[in-house]
Amino acid sequence: MNAPDRFELFVLPDGVKKLTITPDTKIPNAATFQVEKEDHTLANMLRMQLLDDPKVLFAGYKMPHPLDHYFILKVQTTPDTTPAHVLGNAVTELIQNVGSMKNKFEMDLIRARSDNAKADNGEGEDISSHQ
């Protein structure tokens, strides 16, 4: 059919950069970032993380077309920082948040498996005694 090959969704062609930064000439402290081979998942997470930063005045993204696998992120900051700097901070914070979430999930999974093992061995609490 007309569908592109699956690998085109995530493999960068030769000579294509993952991130392109274009400073905005009309708005002070603003820039446009084009991120290749990513979708709404990363774009929305970045936008929300950027909006949590008090130095960010504006952060928004768009996906130009569903068959084009990139997004455009626009960022405007206060004069005491740059869009590239706040984007770098946002990426670092997102990596930390995802790592923390992963650790919490793994600990909860270990705890649930331990609870299930105790219940299977009859070590769990007898529910009928509470009725």
Side-chain angles (χ1 to χ4, degrees):
M1 294 262 210
N2 292 333
D5 292 323
R6 283 193 178 272
F7 70 87
E8 289 182 17
L9 298 175
F10 55 87
V11 175
L12 278 174
D14 291 337
V16 175
K17 292 182 179 181
K18 181 72 171 179
L19 176 70
T20 307
I21 304 170
T22 307
D24 195 320
T25 57
K26 297 180 182 178
I27 302 171
N29 302 314
T32 301
F33 302 90
Q34 182 170 322
V35 182
E36 294 290 336
K37 303 301 179 190
E38 296 294 344
D39 60 8
H40 288 284
T41 305
L42 180 63
N44 197 41
M45 287 184 354
L46 279 174
R47 179 184 64 88
M48 292 304 294
Q49 192 67 45
L50 284 163
L51 290 173
D52 282 344
D53 188 337
K55 294 181 178 184
V56 173
L57 301 175
F58 174 83
Y61 79 92
K62 68 179 179 176
M63 302 284 296
H65 191 275
L67 294 178
D68 293 333
H69 305 291
Y70 69 92
F71 66 86
I72 296 171
L73 178 70
K74 293 190 178 265
V75 180
Q76 183 182 12
T77 64
T78 57
D80 58 331
T81 190
T82 65
H85 186 258
V86 296
L87 181 62
N89 290 344
V91 168
T92 301
E93 289 171 11
L94 275 176
I95 290 169
Q96 291 172 349
N97 290 347
V98 169
S100 167
M101 192 181 333
K102 177 183 177 242
N103 289 340
K104 183 177 180 341
F105 176 79
E106 288 172 348
M107 293 305 295
D108 288 347
L109 185 63
I110 290 168
R111 191 175 301 113
R113 286 180 178 164
S114 173
D115 291 346
N116 285 342
K118 286 179 185 178
D120 290 344
N121 291 334
E123 297 174 18
E125 194 177 308
D126 184 14
I127 297 173
S128 62
S129 64
H130 293 290
Q131 295 178 358

